[in-house]
Amino acid sequence: MSRVSLEGRVAVVTGAARGVGELLARKLSARGVKVALVGLEPDALKQVSARLHSESDHWHADVTDHEAMAEAAAQVKERFGRIDVVVANAGVATGGPFVESDPESWRRVIEVNLIGSAVTARAFLPALLESRGYLLQIASLAAITPAPMMSAYCASKSGVEAYAHSLRGEVGHRGVKVGVGYLSWTDTDMVRGADQEDVMRELRQRLPWPANKTYPLGPAVDRLVEGIERRSAHVYGQWWLRGMQGVRGYLPALIGTVGQREMRRFGDRLDGVRVGLVGAGGAADEQRRSDSATVRD
């Protein structure tokens, strides 16, 4: 598939304060893309925007807030005149046994990763329809294979993958392409936050190669940029993820069997696993909700 030049195009990146979103914004900017950054941390977004090579701006918005995202979309359109690419990247995670999980944190993973992605598309699709643009939905290896101790994250990423595939069929005839980006364990604050839990880290290390590695961020984001340039239906941050598609039908039964064995192995250590959102992004989300609750009170 041939690449298209991104020079002068306008891209929106959610969850752009750090990690995948920040580096993606930088790499798009280096290609001459005008970048609109959207996220919960205005100070961090401002710093990212100041470091970009091209014209850029930032918007403080919760991706689960319909009104805030609609307003951001309108302001981005007014600021740049058009929108050509939207990357729905914002995401949070929590881990640990489902039966002991914090209900609010579990629900929040679904809200941000799945509902927030749909809210993002709903807000920006009118502009993408005008430009016949491209929406890249960031999913995960967790969309391809289930995993014990990650029920909320796997549910959210499986859901967002299915939603994006459905959306592709709806808007393709109107010129809008929809892609799904898959990432394995990649060196971000979210993964490092999860690794702070000994059990979660050791469970991941016991996965079969190549799923047991943490991969550098740069090459994964380079692949995402290439996918945007090609308007690809599927983008794989690590080379081997493409091969997982062919065997995914066998994975639930396999994980169900192996997972039982691993849970027995770690059973006496599971009570101490943290139940909140992980990483700096998770902390920012929890702080935002705490501030909102204080204002309501």
Side-chain angles (χ1 to χ4, degrees):
M1 187 181 299
S2 61
R3 301 187 188 186
V4 298
S5 173
L6 297 177
E7 181 75 32
R9 303 295 177 93
V10 178
V12 177
V13 181
T14 68
R18 60 175 53 82
V20 171
E22 177 190 5
L23 186 55
L24 180 60
R26 286 166 46 195
K27 289 181 177 289
L28 290 174
S29 176
R31 285 163 170 77
V33 178
K34 301 173 185 178
V35 185
L37 310 169
V38 179
L40 286 180
E41 301 168 80
D43 292 340
L45 293 171
K46 183 177 180 180
Q47 293 174 11
V48 174
S49 180
R51 293 194 296 266
L52 298 184
H53 304 279
S54 61
E55 189 177 353
S56 67
D57 210 335
H58 64 284
W59 281 264
H60 176 215
D62 182 337
V63 295
T64 68
D65 186 329
H66 290 271
E67 293 183 1
M69 290 299 287
E71 183 177 354
Q75 291 179 5
V76 172
K77 176 75 179 302
E78 181 179 1
R79 170 73 168 79
F80 294 109
R82 60 183 292 133
I83 299 170
D84 301 287
V85 176
V86 174
V87 182
N89 166 71
V92 294
T94 187
F98 173 75
V99 70
E100 280 94 23
S101 63
D102 171 46
E104 292 302 317
S105 295
W106 202 98
R107 178 189 295 269
R108 186 61 179 170
V109 173
I110 304 297
E111 289 176 346
V112 174
N113 297 0
L114 176 53
I115 298 175
S117 294
V119 170
T120 298
R122 190 181 299 277
F124 287 98
L125 264 174
L128 290 179
L129 289 168
E130 289 182 10
S131 66
R132 300 175 69 87
Y134 177 70
L135 171 68
L136 178 61
Q137 173 62 57
I138 301 300
S140 169
L141 170 62
I144 299 175
T145 178
M149 308 278 280
M150 293 178 57
S151 60
Y153 194 73
C154 289
S156 70
K157 291 302 185 178
S158 296
V160 86
E161 178 196 40
Y163 141 77
H165 288 331
S166 297
L167 186 62
R168 180 186 302 122
E170 292 183 21
V171 300
H173 72 288
R174 302 179 66 180
V176 176
K177 301 294 185 182
V178 177
V180 180
Y182 300 89
L183 298 172
S184 183
W185 304 96
T186 306
D187 188 19
T188 63
D189 285 328
M190 181 186 294
V191 171
R192 289 192 293 271
D195 277 352
Q196 290 178 4
E197 293 290 341
D198 292 342
V199 171
M200 297 297 293
R201 183 178 65 253
E202 290 175 35
L203 273 170
R204 186 161 67 83
Q205 290 171 344
R206 290 178 59 80
L207 293 171
W209 183 90
N212 60 353
K213 294 178 56 179
T214 297
Y215 292 86
L217 183 59
V221 174
D222 285 337
R223 288 175 175 261
L224 295 181
V225 173
E226 292 173 5
I228 293 171
E229 291 174 328
R230 293 188 169 98
R231 293 162 58 90
S232 300
H234 301 88
V235 186
Y236 299 98
Q238 287 80 28
W239 61 270
W240 55 271
L241 288 171
R242 184 186 300 274
M244 295 291 289
Q245 295 285 21
V247 300
R248 64 187 298 173
Y250 301 98
L251 295 176
L254 176 62
I255 297 300
T257 300
V258 175
Q260 293 180 55
R261 183 192 68 199
E262 295 302 293
M263 290 302 96
R264 283 194 293 269
R265 179 188 297 272
F266 288 94
D268 60 347
R269 299 171 57 192
L270 298 180
D271 291 342
V273 175
R274 184 178 183 273
V275 296
L277 301 181
V278 301
D285 189 274
E286 290 181 337
Q287 184 62 53
R288 184 262 180 191
R289 286 183 289 136
S290 176
D291 292 345
S292 297
T294 300
V295 170
R296 287 196 299 271
D297 292 342

